[in-house]
Every structure is written in structure tokens, then in C-alpha cells.
Amino acid sequence: MTKIAEALKPVFKKHRIVFWYDAKKELRSDYEKLDLPDIEKVELNNNEFRVKHRILREEPDKKFLLYHEGEAPADLDNWLLDVQLAYGEFRTDQSAIWLNELGLGIEFTDVVNEHAVFFNAAKRREGLKKILASDDTQNAVRTKMLAVCAASDPRIDNILENLLSESAVKKDDKFKLIENCTLDSFLWNRLEITYGYTSDSPGIKDFTIQLFKSCYDMSLGEDSKLNPDALVFLKRWKDSVRHQSAFETLSKECADILAIEKDLQKRDISSLEEIDYFELVDRKIISDLVKQVVDRTITAGNRESMIRQRKIGYWYKQYEDLYQAIDHGARFIRLLEETEINIESMGDGLSKYTNYWYLIDQLYRQYVFHTKRSGQVSVLKALSDKIENLYSNNYLLTVNNEWQKQVDQCEAWGKTDIVFQRHFFQRNVSSFLRDKKKVFVIISDAMRFEIGDELHSRIRQEDRFDAEISPMLTTLPSFTQLGMASLLPNKEITFSDNHSTTVLVDGKRSQGTENRSKILQDAVSGAAKAMRAEDLMEMNKTECRELFRDHDLVYVYHNQIDATGDKKESEGRVFDAVEDTLEALIKIIKKLVAANATNLLVTSDHGFIYQDRVLEDSDFLGADITGIDALHKDRRFLLGKGLPQNTGMKSFTAKEAGIEGDMEIQIPKSINRLRLKGSGSRFVHGGASLQEVVIPVIKIHKKRQSDISKVGVNILSGSTSFITTGQFSVTFYQTQPVTDKVQARSLRAGIYSKDNELVSDSHNLNFEFASDNPRERELKIRFVLTKKADDLNEQEVYLRLEEQESGTTYFKEYKSARYVIRRSFTSDFDF
């Protein structure tokens, strides 16, 4: 098919009658060769009346190509002018061919002539043709031409995003093409209309600088060159996954050009709460938050509000550990200030620790964990120094000095209101076996009570999982071999008389999974087994189910906390090991439940003390133990016979410690360490401190039905349902606190027209407040309306909360509220 035939096809799709004036009289042969199915060719040559009658009266449904060799007659002399105006004209100059190819009318001739470079390329014409619409205006066509040049969707914001991405990598191919196609003036005109951008030297970099400066100024309540639509654009652009890299690059460049760091020095962080266009803002907020927490010049409510607002900001993920460290550190300081430490009896001390004080250890651990993971130790130094001092001197030493008074008076260890570790099997395991129920016991080495509390919470957060936690008192000394032996079924526990610290259970060695399996098998009527957690996790689903089918009792041993903390070179990473352990235990529990296990217990052999600082001489017992003839020496205990008395040590006979035999035990008082060459000293266990001897027992239940729900969220409309300015604040209320079973809810919020068009910026909101105080579960958000909202005066709009369907990109409406835009003409003025 000839080029002219191709060009005529789209014209005949729109018109039944097409006029073709061969002005230069050079295309007759092309006309005569044309073979167009279902189209009648007619030459105009002083036969206009006859042709008119035929095409309108005789054959009103037939398609006609009316060819005239020569110029079109003047309008006054054109007897077919009315028909020509009603139908179409096919022109054979280059511009006309392009118009015909694209299906554009003659009214777009100026567009084609003005931007001929654009139309010279067939690829660009093809790209444009795909996105043209029958009702396009000249400006709409030019916008789509910009989109083709920028390889974007035909929207000015999408075009701009692609140009900014190109600028971020120091390229300008797309913009150069726009200039070559003489579309740059149109681009600046669109940016002026849309965002208010004007400049004596317009350019992408110039626009970028103006964009960041104007949005920064607007958010601070100061005058800006650009309009609020620019702020909406910036928020949407920075939240686009596709353009994150470009945003970060240009943000950093503009922060330097605009001297944002210098400007931030004079700002109070309360004015920066919602601003996230520059990374420096988060650094400023973090730096000031640390000072304010250390100096106690910020309220808990203001701190929580600030961190809550930063959570929905762009840079939060990058600085999450710093924010978490500050939050945990502030909560630690506040909790310790509210804590009065006194112990009236051993039962009183255990009760206070397991109901309240353990949270101080937990917050300290979480602070240290997030501080180290942030990799930004220097910025937190003042806070870390304060927390270390408070933890070591005001809490850890103080509480254990008080506790030591009760330990000194103790003549029979283990006789308390909480379960003694030696009775674990009898109290917690035997009942399942008596009822012919299979049971799995997971033992995590060195999981102290506060870690068990966090595990308990994480288990309950899983759907259809429930759990109960209770405290247990370890045997003494609180070290692995004795703790593990105490958890086995036992009638008699003794130490071997050599230097191996081997513990015998009913005369049998208890170290290693093989020995423990034998002890379990001898104690129960059914099949029993001890195994390592690593071996369990390597099993496939069938093997796991066979394990459950073939055994009535399985002990699973997990060792990550103790394995990390007990080595001098790795003891500083013990809190990282705790986090890994929590995640690993959840996986183990889920794997066992998937294999049909319904009765699970989680416990530990002992706890530990950890201080994240270099210890001083005062942290060690002054007495020299190098000359003492002991069967075993550890940083927190001695084992032997005929040990010399020491006022700095608490001595127990085996009987007083609740075990059999004639071994003597000596433990440094409070939290003192014994000096040992080559061993670590920050992570220790074996002694009688609360952190070492109080461990958790967690009973896990699997439910048949889902028991997880999400918090409710309401929109508090306030006293008015009218929007009267370009910025509109709304308060959202979380109807109940977050708990293990009532979980956080994430929603997207925006203001929409009746036609479902977004007419404001959009916010991603996290409702995760755990406070029982309703006022502390409110979240105030400011929406910025776009210029499109100006066209909706006296019309209804809808504030809509939407929730993302899990595993999809689809959002469904969660809740909405109706408002009416009622803006006075005076709101258009700046005074």
C-alpha cells in the first residue's frame, strides 16, 4: 500500500467524504494508482453540482475521495464549501500527511509546523498516536508530545518526575529533545500555570531549587514563590518508589545550595515536625531530641508525638534505630525515676522484679541494641553515658544490693512462692504426659525473664496463638550445666568431683543431647528425645510430623545468647544475639505447630547480667582467688570443698542450694565479678542476682479460630464541616490501644472530589498507639489542597481513609467524612 493510501486510511475512519486538492499538480499518477476498497474516486473538474447531488442525494452512505488537480477555489467560488466544511480535507504537504497519519484535524496545523522536529521521527509519531484522544486540544497534544519526549505518562507531574530523575544522574537527553522540538517554552508555561513557577532563566535545576525552597518555606508558614500544588507534587514525588533515588540526590544537592544546615540551627524542632524534604531535618531533630532527653526538657507526650510524626516521614527508615534508641532511652529514664527500690523479703523482691522492675532491664537492652544497630554511637554518647550510669549505679547495683540482703539470710534456696527450677519437669511437663498428651519443651540458653516477656508478647501477636508466662527461680550456681540438668526429670542432682563441672542426674551424666535423651527416656513411659534446634530446623515437613508422631516428649535446645555472650570477643554483641534468638524461637514454635504439636513450653537454664561499658576495679571482688583450690572457678561463682570464707562472697552448702552432695558454692555478693584471666566480664552469669536467677516459663496454646483484630480509627470532624482555606487540619482518633491481639492499622488518607479525583496531598498513617489515655491516641494531620479544589467551591468533597489489601496494590475504603469547600474570594489575597 502506498504512503498516500496509508495516510488516507485514518481520514476515512472519521469522514465519509474527503477532499484532496493537488495544489502543485504533481500527484495525479498517485491518484490514478490508488485502489481503495469501498471508496469511490471522483475527480472535480467543473462538475461540482453533479457531484454534490450524487454524494448527498443519490449515494448518501457511500464513501468518496474527491480529487481536484490544482489549488482549492476561493471560498466564494467553491460550490462544495459546505460539504468540505462538514467533512474533511486531505492534504499532501508534509504537515498534512503527518496530521492525516495521526488522525488530527487541520486545526492542529500550527502545532505540526511549530514542532516539525518532533514529527520528523516516525517513532515519536507512533508514540504520540497511541495516546491521542478524539477530544484533544492543542495544549493537550503538546502535553502528550512532552510525554513522548520524556518517556512518561501524559501528565505534567509525571513528565516532570522523569525530567527530575534524568537531572539527578547529570543527564539531559530528554530535556534536550524537548528543546530541539521547541517544546521548552510550552513546558515552562505549564509549570507556571500548574505550580506558579517563573524565572528569568528557567531550567530543570532552577525549578528543582525553587521547588525545595518553596516547599520548605510553605511548611514553615513562610512566603513561597510556588503555590501549594508544588507541595503536593513534592510529597507525591518523594513517596514514589520509582523516583526515590532521584529525590534523595536532588534533596541533598538543594540542601547544600540553600544552606539548609545553617538555617536549621535557628529552628526549634517543634516547627520541623512535619517536614521531611531534607535528610538534615531528621539529623537536627535527632540531635536536639538527645539533648532534650538528657536535660529532661521535653515531656514524654511531646517526645512521643515527635517520633510518631517522624515515623511517617521519608527518612525514618534510615534513622529508625536512632529514633528507637531515643524513645527507649527516654522511657528507661522515666521508669527508673518512678521506681522506688526496696525489698522486704525474698518473695517481695521476686514479686516486684517479675511484675515491674524487669522492664528496666528490657528497656536498657532495647536501648543498647538500637544504639549499636544504628551505627551512630557518637550522636547518642551523652544519652548513652547517662543511661549507663543510671543503669549500673541507680538500678542494677542498687536493686541487687537490696536483694543481696535477702540472699544473705537465705538458708534454703528455692523455697519461694515461684516454681523452683528443679521442679520444672514435675510441675510443668508431667501433667501433659499423665493425660497422654504429647509435649515439646524448648530451652533457650541464657534467656532471662525480660527476654521471655518480649517473646511472650511476640507469640501472642501471631494469629491464633496464645501464651502464658510465669517466673521460675534457677538453681545455684546459675550456670548452664546445672540449669540444664535441673530442667530434666530428677530425683538427685550432684556435681562430679573433678574439674569438669559435670552435673549428674540420678547418677547419669547430663551434658549433651545423647545423655539427656537417655535421662528423658528412662523417666517417661513413652518415647522421648532431646535434640538441637539446628537439627530440628533442618527437618522437612514430613520429618517433623514423624518426630511428633513417634515421640511423646521432645526437648529442643537452642543456644545463641549464651554462645555469644560467653566469649570475650563477642560478648558485646549479646543483645544482637537476643534479637536473633527471639526471631529464631518464633520460627521453631511455628514449625512445631505446623507438625501438629499443640502443647509447647519455652524456658531457660539461667539468666545473665550485662553492662555495655568498660568495667572498673570497683566492679570486681577485691579478694585474690588465684590461690584458692577450687574444682571450678568462674566470674560469678566458685565450686569446691573446704573453700576459705570471704566476707565478699555468699557461701552455700549443696543442701542449702537445694541440691545433693557435699559440694560447696561461693557467689560474689550483688553484681561483683571475680577476676579471671582471658575471660569476658561484661556478660556474666552463675551468681544470685535477680537478672541471673529469674527465668521465664511460657506455655503456648494454638487456637482454632483467628483471634487477631486491628484497632479502629475515627475521623473527628470538629465543630465545622466546611473547608475554608487551602490547608485543612483533621484529627484522627484510634479507638482502643494496641495490644498483642489488637494490632496497629495502616491507612492512606486524602481528600477526594465526587468524581474520585484526589484534590489534596496524600498521607500514609500508622495507628499504633499503646496508651490507655484516649488523648494520647489522637493524630492531627494537615492536608494541603491542590488548585483543582478551587474549582469545587460550594461543592462536596470527601476525606477518605483507605486500607491496602494484604499482598496487593489495591486499596479499599475504610472510612470517609463529607466536607463542603466554602472559600471566600478574600482567600485569594495574601493579606
Side-chain angles (χ1 to χ4, degrees), residues 473-654:
L473 186 69
T474 72
T475 43
L476 285 180
S478 55
F479 76 117
T480 299
Q481 287 89 332
L482 182 58
M484 292 297 185
S486 300
L487 293 169
L488 293 166
N490 64 85
K491 294 178 181 177
E492 183 182 81
I493 292 181
T494 56
F495 290 103
S496 65
D497 287 336
N498 56 34
H499 291 267
S500 66
T501 67
T502 298
V503 179
L504 306 176
V505 175
D506 300 336
K508 302 164 191 169
R509 294 169 61 90
S510 62
Q511 286 176 280
T513 54
E514 288 187 16
N515 289 327
R516 292 169 188 168
S517 284
K518 291 176 183 177
I519 294 171
L520 290 172
Q521 288 166 4
D522 291 344
V524 302
S525 58
K529 180 182 179 67
M531 65 186 303
R532 300 186 313 156
E534 303 96 289
D535 296 331
L536 173 71
M537 295 307 290
E538 288 177 359
M539 287 182 168
N540 59 37
K541 195 170 185 178
T542 301
E543 291 169 334
C544 269
R545 289 186 171 177
E546 289 173 351
L547 176 71
F548 174 78
R549 182 196 66 199
D550 298 339
H551 295 87
D552 296 311
L553 173 64
V554 177
Y555 269 42
V556 179
Y557 292 92
H558 179 270
N559 181 15
Q560 195 160 0
I561 299 172
D562 202 56
T564 303
D566 259 345
K567 298 183 182 71
K568 185 176 181 179
E569 63 273 13
S570 62
E571 65 175 351
R573 299 195 298 273
V574 69
F575 287 163
D576 293 292
V578 170
E579 181 64 25
D580 293 340
T581 292
L582 290 168
E583 293 177 1
L585 291 176
I586 293 291
K587 290 178 181 176
I588 291 169
I589 291 164
K590 286 184 173 181
K591 184 156 191 164
L592 291 174
V593 168
N596 298 322
T598 54
N599 304 305
L600 292 93
L601 298 170
V602 182
T603 191
S604 178
D605 53 349
H606 59 77
F608 63 88
I609 299 171
Y610 178 79
Q611 291 163 273
D612 194 52
R613 63 175 176 83
V614 177
L615 299 186
E616 302 172 359
D617 287 343
S618 60
D619 295 305
F620 293 89
L621 193 67
D624 184 7
I625 65 167
T626 54
I628 296 176
D629 184 19
L631 291 175
H632 183 74
K633 298 175 183 178
D634 200 273
R635 291 159 296 176
R636 286 286 287 158
F637 68 93
L638 296 176
L639 286 178
K641 296 179 181 180
L643 297 174
Q645 295 299 303
N646 188 314
T647 56
M649 308 269 276
K650 167 64 178 175
S651 297
F652 289 92
T653 64

Side-chain angles (χ1 to χ4, degrees), residues 99-255:
L99 287 172
N100 288 323
E101 179 184 339
L102 295 167
L104 293 173
I106 195 171
E107 65 273 17
F108 291 95
T109 301
D110 291 343
V111 174
V112 173
N113 289 335
E114 189 178 331
H115 308 290
V117 173
F118 176 92
F119 293 96
N120 268 330
K123 187 175 180 180
R124 288 196 288 272
R125 294 197 305 273
E126 290 170 10
L128 178 62
K129 186 175 181 179
K130 290 177 181 177
I131 56 175
L132 286 175
S134 59
D135 58 349
D136 279 339
T137 63
Q138 288 193 6
N139 282 344
V141 171
R142 285 191 174 94
T143 300
K144 291 179 178 181
M145 291 162 64
L146 282 175
V148 171
C149 293
S152 80
D153 293 331
R155 290 165 41 117
I156 198 65
D157 54 347
N158 294 141
I159 293 165
L160 186 54
E161 285 171 351
N162 280 16
L163 293 177
L164 290 172
S165 290
E166 182 182 59
S167 176
V169 294
K170 301 296 183 285
K171 292 184 178 180
D172 60 359
D173 295 347
K174 293 181 175 66
F175 183 71
K176 282 293 186 187
L177 178 58
I178 288 172
E179 283 188 318
N180 290 339
C181 296
T182 62
L183 284 163
D184 49 321
S185 295
F186 177 74
L187 174 64
W188 306 134
N189 175 260
R190 290 293 97 188
L191 295 186
E192 179 179 1
I193 292 171
T194 308
Y195 306 119
Y197 172 68
T198 59
S199 174
D200 293 334
S201 302
I204 296 300
K205 184 173 182 178
D206 183 74
F207 173 82
T208 305
I209 296 168
Q210 238 189 80
L211 175 68
F212 276 97
K213 184 178 189 319
S214 293
C215 292
Y216 182 64
D217 291 340
M218 272 187 272
S219 297
L220 289 168
E222 299 174 0
D223 293 338
S224 65
K225 287 188 176 181
L226 303 185
N227 62 36
D229 277 33
L231 182 57
V232 174
F233 167 77
L234 179 61
K235 288 184 175 184
R236 185 166 56 232
W237 173 47
K238 72 178 174 61
D239 291 336
S240 166
V241 175
R242 180 183 169 195
H243 298 291
Q244 281 182 355
S245 178
F247 166 74
E248 290 177 13
T249 299
L250 296 176
S251 169
K252 186 176 181 179
E253 289 179 5
C254 290

Side-chain angles (χ1 to χ4, degrees), residues 92 96 316 366 495 653 683 725 753 762:
T92 52
Y316 179 77
Q366 291 165 340
F495 290 103
T653 64
F683 174 92
T725 62
S753 69
S762 181

